[in-house]
Amino acid sequence: MTSIRLNLPTLLNCLLICVTLLLNNRCCVVAKWYHRPNVVLILTDDLDVVIGGMTPLNKTKKLIGEAGITFTNAFVASPLCCPSRASILTGKYPHNHHVINNTLEGNCSSTAWQKTQEPKTFPALLQAYAGYQTFFAGKYLNQYGNPDAGGVEHVPLGWDYWVGLERNSRYYNYTLSVNGKPKKHGGNYSEDYLTDVLTNMSLDFLQYKSNYRPFFMMVSTPAPHAPWTPAPQYQDRFQDLKAPRDPNFNVHGKDKHWLIRQAKTPMTNSSIELLDEAYRKRWRTLLSVDDLVEKVVKRLEVRGELDNTYIIFTSDNGYHTGQFSLPLDKRQLYESDIRVPLLIRGPNIKPNQTTGLAVQNVDLGPTILDMAGYNVSKTAMDGMSFLSVLYNVNVAYTMWRTDFLVEYEGEGSNVSDPACPLLGPGVSVCFPDCVCEDSFNNTYACVRTVAPSANLQYCEFDDNEVFVEVYNITVDPYQLINLAKTIDQEVLEKMNHRLMMLQSCSGQSCRTPGVYDTRYTFDPHLMFSNRSHRRNRLRRA
């Protein structure tokens, strides 16, 4: 038998070669990651832009908007928290991610959502394929933490560091899931005020994260969502403030969907006092968000990371206070509810820019993936990256879509509310005097067009009459006049056809030319081939 002698120098040389090869390979990977930009997404809750929501956010406007670009035509795919947040995370329209309302039955943070959509969110792709360390803090989806969907022990795929709020927006007396472990908070301002807690956790992440990998940080604040609890130092601000009395404030929506027509006009004094007080409180809660933005920007600057970090500021939906005599809510198709703020600063973005290019929250995921160098075409996202717009606001106009889809499924069951029997079945979110903000057939889909030659909105309701609302936003920015019965029939047919196409779109087909794009082709044979395909489609999904 031949003996095997241990040759120590030879073994050490072999080990040295192996370690060197491994280190060189790791260094190549780290070097590839190291120069990728960081991304911070600050998501507010119910922050409008149409009725003055950005006014108190002076630091945010200066540190993000004036340092970068402000989008004046940013919209959501659905004007309700959970469907909209799902659209942000997946880059998909509600008819494709199937989150239709804020309930577990509506797929909001359900086990079905967790299995089918969470693995495909843009943070999961950033983590798995782009080498990003990921951090989330705040409100996720409204039903997150529901015991029937895994409770707070469930940590969604894609997050290295997870601080998720159980259920809906709160400011005190809430539970956080800290990497799957519950942490209860009480009513002590210095320890428990949620906006400040999220701020401090975000600063800790920036301080102690790895310096050798790029990061994505998403901070989702409760403000300015109800119950509108301000920090103590801000509770006396804006004492004389009232909600804007725009032309559509406290007027009857006489030519609108029945739910809008039922609103009591003029509103009672008690309703006006309620909405004015809510408006003041909303602004007060935003002052803490302004502080959050300032502290995050300063921490990035101190760490020398600001110049290599994109910072995005936006909201999940808008809000109304008295428009068409509806006291307080979102969920409607009007500009106050579907238009949101969007401010972005970052590498190679020139300061003090403004663009009217129409973007949507389904575009955020593709854009962030594009920032990270990930091939967006590998995804099934409906949105499209607007990264090139950030660098040159003029280049992309000729290549950008001219329209997009907004869709919403009303909440409520097909039974009468005992408190409001005269309104018929299905109403919900009702105020005194039976002014109701939603109903089961407040279910609609809209084509919103923003093009050089047109600024229009075409909407159809999923009800017995297929009620239609059409607005020329250029001449009627407050949407006072429904043109459905007076507009040219050919335009109605084309918009109807376009709506049908968008409601059945997926991925690339959601980005095809719109009616006011020169590349658009209209095939009337497709118009009525299967008109019923879209009715109750979301309900069946």
Side-chain angles (χ1 to χ4, degrees):
M1 180 189 296
T2 305
S3 63
I4 300 176
R5 299 179 59 189
L6 180 62
N7 188 326
L8 189 58
T10 301
L11 180 60
L12 289 175
N13 285 335
C14 290
L15 287 172
L16 182 61
I17 291 171
C18 291
V19 170
T20 301
L21 289 172
L22 286 171
L23 285 175
N24 284 341
N25 185 54
R26 178 175 175 79
C27 287
C28 290
V29 172
V30 170
K32 182 179 179 181
W33 289 343
Y34 188 72
H35 295 291
R36 289 182 177 175
N38 310 306
V39 184
V40 174
L41 172 59
I42 299 172
L43 179 65
T44 54
D45 197 348
D46 287 3
L47 177 58
D48 66 275
V49 70
V50 170
I51 59 172
M54 286 298 295
T55 304
L57 291 162
N58 293 319
K59 299 172 185 176
T60 300
K61 289 182 288 186
K62 178 180 178 180
L63 294 172
I64 304 179
E66 292 178 17
I69 186 169
T70 298
F71 287 81
T72 58
N73 280 315
F75 296 86
V76 295
S78 185
L80 187 64
C81 300
C82 205
S84 179
R85 288 164 180 266
S87 287
I88 291 171
L89 291 164
T90 63
K92 297 177 182 178
Y93 285 121
H95 70 261
N96 286 327
H97 61 57
H98 307 301
V99 178
I100 59 173
N101 58 40
N102 287 344
T103 67
L104 201 62
E105 296 73 22
N107 208 27
C108 180
S109 204
S110 65
T111 52
W113 156 267
Q114 294 168 14
K115 291 177 181 178
T116 64
Q117 300 302 321
E118 283 185 347
K120 303 172 186 177
T121 63
F122 77 85
L125 298 176
L126 287 176
Q127 182 197 55
Y129 301 109
Y132 275 66
Q133 51 192 321
T134 55
F135 170 87
F136 179 90
K139 176 179 173 179
Y140 179 58
L141 302 180
N142 296 56
Q143 292 298 323
Y144 174 75
N146 191 310
D148 293 332
V152 296
E153 291 76 22
H154 170 70
V155 176
L157 288 174
W159 302 102
D160 296 306
Y161 307 95
W162 172 260
V163 184
L165 175 67
E166 181 185 34
R167 305 296 181 98
N168 207 355
S169 283
R170 303 281 292 276
Y171 297 84
Y172 293 110
N173 301 306
Y174 54 85
T175 298
L176 293 175
S177 168
V178 182
N179 294 323
K181 296 181 179 180
K183 180 175 175 57
K184 292 186 180 296
H185 283 261
N188 185 320
Y189 168 70
S190 62
E191 298 177 356
D192 302 311
Y193 189 69
L194 182 55
T195 306
D196 292 352
V197 169
L198 300 181
T199 300
N200 293 332
M201 288 184 167
S202 301
L203 297 178
D204 286 344
F205 168 73
L206 292 176
Q207 190 66 31
Y208 298 113
K209 64 177 176 57
S210 167
N211 293 327
Y212 300 102
R213 292 169 58 199
F215 68 85
F216 170 69
M217 183 170 81
M218 182 171 177
V219 188
S220 183
T221 75
H225 195 285
W228 314 303
T229 309
Q233 67 270 29
Y234 297 133
Q235 63 185 2
D236 295 326
R237 297 287 298 273
F238 313 121
Q239 290 284 12
D240 299 325
L241 182 69
K242 293 183 178 181
R245 270 52 171 174
D246 291 328
N248 57 7
F249 179 85
N250 201 14
V251 299
H252 187 246
K254 58 183 182 300
D255 55 3
K256 293 174 170 45
H257 185 236
W258 78 269
L259 182 66
I260 310 301
R261 296 198 303 267
Q262 58 82 32
K264 182 179 177 65
T265 307
M267 290 184 285
T268 62
N269 289 336
S270 60
S271 290
I272 293 177
E273 290 172 2
L274 171 69
L275 68 87
D276 279 338
E277 181 61 19
Y279 195 87
R280 286 188 286 271
K281 289 180 177 179
R282 283 165 54 82
W283 273 28
R284 291 166 185 159
T285 66
L286 287 170
L287 295 178
S288 294
V289 176
D290 220 22
D291 293 339
L292 181 157
V293 170
E294 180 183 43
K295 290 177 180 179
V296 167
V297 170
K298 285 187 174 180
R299 179 60 57 88
L300 289 168
E301 187 174 28
V302 168
R303 292 181 53 83
E305 296 176 312
L306 184 59
D307 290 343
N308 193 40
T309 302
Y310 292 99
I311 304 178
I312 305 168
F313 182 91
T314 190
S315 176
D316 58 358
N317 48 255
Y319 207 71
H320 61 254
T321 52
Q323 281 64 44
F324 304 113
S325 299
L326 295 178
L328 296 166
D329 200 47
K330 47 265 186 169
R331 307 170 202 256
Q332 307 306 331
L333 57 87
Y334 308 109
E335 294 286 279
S336 57
D337 294 21
I338 67 173
R339 192 192 291 259
V340 292
L342 179 59
L343 289 66
I344 305 177
R345 67 171 292 169
N348 302 313
I349 300 178
K350 297 176 182 177
N352 292 306
Q353 292 191 95
T354 300
T355 177
L357 194 75
V359 297
Q360 207 175 14
N361 60 357
V362 294
D363 301 326
L364 290 174
T367 302
I368 293 171
L369 289 174
D370 202 4
M371 290 171 174
Y374 184 82
N375 186 351
V376 182
S377 64
K378 292 182 178 180
T379 74
M381 293 181 174
D382 303 330
M384 55 196 294
S385 171
F386 55 79
L387 184 60
S388 61
V389 180
L390 301 180
Y391 303 147
N392 190 334
V393 295
N394 298 314
V395 169
Y397 272 95
T398 57
M399 302 179 292
W400 199 252
R401 59 170 178 234
T402 57
D403 60 21
F404 50 83
L405 178 68
V406 177
E407 51 190 351
Y408 175 69
E409 174 144 352
E411 290 188 40
S413 56
N414 194 9
V415 295
S416 296
D417 185 336
C420 306
L422 296 179
L423 289 179
V427 294
S428 59
V429 195
C430 294
F431 286 82
D433 304 310
C434 288
V435 178
C436 300
E437 293 276 2
D438 207 1
S439 68
F440 80 102
N441 70 346
N442 182 37
T443 296
Y444 57 81
C446 304
V447 179
R448 183 67 174 86
T449 299
V450 181
S453 59
N455 189 5
L456 301 174
Q457 184 180 36
Y458 174 93
C459 302
E460 289 185 12
F461 281 83
D462 183 10
D463 56 17
N464 292 333
E465 57 180 330
V466 192
F467 193 83
V468 176
E469 294 189 31
V470 183
Y471 299 98
N472 182 344
I473 308 298
T474 301
V475 299
D476 181 21
Y478 296 102
Q479 295 168 287
L480 298 169
I481 303 171
N482 180 7
L483 301 173
K485 295 181 179 179
T486 60
I487 199 169
D488 187 274
Q489 185 64 28
E490 182 180 357
V491 174
L492 283 177
E493 291 176 355
K494 287 183 176 181
M495 297 304 290
N496 169 264
H497 173 256
R498 181 60 177 158
L499 181 61
M500 291 175 63
M501 301 303 291
L502 285 175
Q503 281 193 277
S504 59
C505 77
S506 178
Q508 176 60 37
S509 63
C510 297
R511 306 189 290 272
T512 54
V515 173
Y516 287 88
D517 190 310
T518 55
R519 299 168 294 167
Y520 176 76
T521 55
F522 174 54
D523 184 356
H525 294 95
L526 297 176
M527 254 183 51
F528 303 105
S529 59
N530 189 15
R531 184 183 181 89
S532 63
H533 84 280
R534 66 185 184 280
R535 299 191 61 194
N536 295 311
R537 181 179 44 72
L538 286 177
R539 215 182 305 274
R540 295 195 304 267

